[in-house]
Structures are given as C-alpha cells and as structure tokens.
Amino acid sequence: MIVNIVTGYLGSGKTALIQHLVRQLAPGERVAVLVGEFGEVGIDGALLAQDAPDVLELGCECIYCTLSADLARQIPYVAGSLSPDRLIIEYPGVAAVQGLLAAAKVMGLHLMDHRFSIIHVIDACSFDELYARSPLFAESQICRANVLVLNKCDLVPEKKVQSLTKKIKELNPRARFVSTHHGQVSPADLQVASQTGFSSPRERKVCRRPQSAVDIPSYYSFSRKFQGTFSRTQLARLFENLTGSSIGEVVRAKGIFCCEEGWVRLDFLPSGVSLEPVTGRFYESKVLVIGSTLAAGKLTAALLDCLHKDPQGFYEDGGDQRRRVSRPAGLNRRRSPACTAPGNYAGSSLRLGHDKKELSS
C-alpha cells in the first residue's frame, strides 16, 4: 500500500491537490482518503467523497495529540478493511506532522514498510506571512517533506515564484520540488523513495527539535450545521466584511451551503472569499471557521440572518458552550435530511468522532 500524507497550512490547497490526484488515479488504483479536520463539522470529506469512493473523516478537539493518535490508529484499519492500493491522509493545516509520525511509532506502525511519502503544499500568496509569524513551524513542516508543492503560482509575479523557490529549496534541498496552480500535480510528481535522513545540520536541528505551543499557531474552531435555504448574496456580503469585524480574527473559513441557485462552496482566506457552485450529495448546509479569536454567538446570528427560509431551521452539535464530547467506541455513519436544491448526488463520507475546541462569545 502506498501512503501519502498531505500537509500544508490553512488554505494552501491540500483538498484541491487530493481531488486532482484522485481523479487521475481512480481508473487504475483503489484510493482511500483519510481526512483529519480541526472542528466538529467536516467540509473536506464531503467534497472529496465526490471523487473517491472510500473517504473517512476524523474531527477532534485536540489536533496536537488526540487527532494524531486517532489518524495513526486508522491506518491499519483502512489497510485491513478496505485494502486500498493507496491511502492519502489529509493532515490539518494547523498541526505539525511530527505528531502523526510520533503516534505511528508509539503504536508500532512501520510506515517505512509502505511506499511512504509526505507531500507539503505551500501557498505562494501567504507563505512569507506565515514564515514571519511562525518560522519554526513552517521550517519543520518543509524539512519533513519528501515532495514540496508550491501552489497558487498563477496568483503571484514570476519574480516572487523564483524567490520562494530558492528559499524553499534551501530549507529542504533533498525533496522533490513542484510549482503549480489549483493543486494540479501528477502521480509521477509523487514517486519518490521514502527518506529518513537529513541533508544538513540545520535541517536535522529543525526537524528533531521538540514542538511547543510557541512554535505552532494556536486557533479555535467554530462549526455549525443548518437546514433551510441561504441567500448567496448575503453570505458573500458577510464573509467579504468578516476581516476586521467584531466576530473575531478569522484566518480560514469553508463551507457548503444550500442556496436558491443550488449548492455553493465557500472558501474564505483573509486575502479573499469565493462562493462557487458545487455538485454532490449533501445533506445539510455546514460551515467551519478557524481563528485565533471567535465570537460564536455573533457568528451564529450573522449566519442565521443569511437564511432565506426557516430562520430557526438549524441545529448545532455541542451548543455555544465549550465542552468535551465523549468519543464513540466504533465508527458511526452520520446522516441528516437533505436540503432541497438542484445538483447531482453521488458519494458521501464516513465521519469518525466529533469533538471540538471552540471559543464561545
């Protein structure tokens, strides 16, 4: 079994890369996708399920330890029950991949027995900002990778691409380097041998240095599910004006919404917001927001104001209070009534666990 761990900071394009890769591999390989989500409501799993028949999703309160252990625990389960040719693991953007590698080692999982690689996706638009804010975190993820993908190169000048390429290759000269846009990579780009050594003393020091809370960005997540029909115009206005609002400092938001025009996919970064049509099998509108400060009550009220119909037609897992939710012993399929909206329906994801870390208003 081939094991590809896809890492990358929030909004770097991990899901797009996996979607593009699965579409190329699907005719010849059985591909399973394991998604680690920071939050109670999963978005990426629902999107990936449209292309991959076997998608498993994990959500968790503590991305630094519990989620890493849960993901590692699922690797032998997937190998034994699904027998895929390839397992792709989408790792959360605000977690260090060292946690997953350490958990696998403690559990006695020998990833090197598989054709194993770490693919790190870098956002050409926001890398400099991340590097200035959390240099040790950024360096450690780059140095751990076997493949480095500089994404969104179409959105920055060529000189910027050249400058970033030079900096990234200096941090990890042994990794295969790919520059692209929209996550477009080929399976051939990922054909590298598993590597455990380091090519320089600096790389060895960065990768082996214990991770601390200072190194890793600290964020909270807000997640909700809704029933009813949303106004696409009002959603666009809400998220276009989110930066600098009283709702909090939001660094990432994504969601799937049932609107009068059909299903739409939300992608928000501080640099911009998009609401694009999406087809698939979706049962309710849902949103995940990540930020260093979040006013959950204000955000919930703002989203309810965007509902066209049934303004009270929503439900939430866990309420507005910060609390622990016990983890189910087995794997549970979560199903909800479908919102009525145009679209093609095919595929759904299996979600495992549903804990969260959330800051209430």
Side-chain angles (χ1 to χ4, degrees):
M1 181 177 72
I2 301 170
V3 178
N4 300 133
I5 302 176
V6 181
T7 65
Y9 192 61
L10 299 168
S12 59
K14 298 186 295 295
T15 303
L17 181 144
I18 294 172
Q19 284 180 312
H20 189 77
L21 188 60
V22 168
R23 288 166 189 163
Q24 297 177 79
L25 293 169
E29 290 186 15
R30 180 172 185 179
V31 181
V33 182
L34 182 57
V35 181
E37 190 76 91
F38 178 36
E40 184 173 337
V41 175
I43 307 298
D44 294 340
L47 296 170
L48 290 167
Q50 313 313 314
D51 298 297
D54 298 314
V55 176
L56 298 91
E57 194 172 50
L58 277 164
C60 190
E61 175 180 359
C62 182
I63 59 174
Y64 308 122
C65 49
T66 309
L67 182 55
S68 296
D70 287 347
L71 283 169
R73 193 177 296 115
Q74 295 308 319
I75 294 174
Y77 165 79
V78 171
S81 61
L82 301 179
S83 300
D85 300 307
R86 184 187 301 260
L87 170 62
I88 301 176
I89 302 174
E90 181 178 351
Y91 204 60
V94 290
V97 72
Q98 288 93 316
L100 175 58
L101 300 178
K105 184 177 180 179
V106 168
M107 293 178 188
L109 301 179
H110 302 288
L111 293 178
M112 297 305 169
D113 292 345
H114 304 280
R115 292 167 61 188
F116 162 76
S117 64
I118 298 173
I119 303 143
H120 186 65
V121 186
I122 299 165
D123 185 345
C125 299
S126 62
F127 176 73
D128 284 340
E129 180 184 349
L130 170 65
Y131 192 76
R133 185 172 66 251
S134 304
L136 293 174
F137 173 73
E139 287 182 2
S140 68
Q141 303 313 286
I142 289 173
C143 289
R144 281 288 180 187
N146 305 104
V147 181
L148 295 167
V149 179
L150 183 61
N151 196 29
K152 304 185 185 180
C153 291
D154 56 322
L155 301 180
V156 297
E158 180 60 28
K159 286 186 177 181
K160 177 74 168 179
V161 174
Q162 294 174 359
S163 173
L164 289 172
T165 299
K166 180 180 178 182
K167 177 187 289 187
I168 292 164
K169 286 184 174 181
E170 287 175 350
L171 289 171
N172 185 350
R174 64 181 172 80
R176 171 169 284 190
F177 181 85
V178 181
S179 59
T180 187
H181 56 85
H182 298 100
Q184 295 182 6
V185 296
S186 70
D189 293 328
L190 311 182
Q191 292 178 359
V192 295
S194 298
Q195 299 174 2
T196 57
F198 304 110
S199 58
S200 70
R202 173 179 171 77
E203 187 181 344
R204 183 181 298 107
K205 180 179 179 181
V206 169
C207 287
R208 292 184 175 174
R209 181 183 185 276
Q211 294 294 297
S212 69
V214 176
D215 300 335
I216 303 173
S218 179
Y219 295 118
Y220 293 93
S221 72
F222 166 99
S223 55
R224 290 290 183 274
K225 296 179 180 180
F226 297 85
Q227 292 182 325
T229 305
F230 281 83
S231 165
R232 183 174 178 175
T233 302
Q234 288 181 264
L235 282 173
R237 186 180 302 118
L238 168 62
F239 285 95
E240 284 169 358
N241 297 320
L242 199 58
T243 302
S245 69
S246 61
I247 288 174
E249 186 179 344
V250 177
V251 296
R252 180 75 169 115
K254 49 190 175 181
I256 302 168
F257 291 94
C258 175
C259 298
E260 289 186 333
E261 302 89 345
W263 292 99
V264 298
R265 173 183 176 177
L266 164 73
D267 271 301
F268 168 87
L269 288 168
S271 57
V273 59
S274 68
L275 279 162
E276 301 295 335
V278 61
T279 58
R281 187 186 181 109
F282 307 119
Y283 294 92
E284 68 271 312
S285 298
K286 48 189 177 180
V287 64
L288 172 65
V289 181
I290 299 172
S292 56
T293 57
L294 294 174
K298 291 181 179 179
L299 187 49
T300 300
L303 286 164
L304 288 174
D305 287 341
C306 297
L307 275 170
H308 255 328
K309 303 172 184 177
D310 303 325
Q312 300 304 318
F314 84 103
Y315 60 94
E316 52 193 33
D317 298 325
D320 281 337
Q321 300 301 315
R322 186 189 301 176
R323 68 187 184 94
R324 291 187 178 274
V325 182
S326 59
R327 181 174 307 281
L331 309 182
N332 299 319
R333 289 190 178 272
R334 299 175 66 174
R335 293 289 183 263
S336 303
C339 296
T340 56
N344 299 322
Y345 300 91
S348 59
S349 63
L350 176 66
R351 184 157 177 84
L352 318 173
H354 51 89
D355 293 342
K356 68 178 178 179
K357 179 181 181 184
E358 182 175 288
L359 182 66
S360 59
S361 58

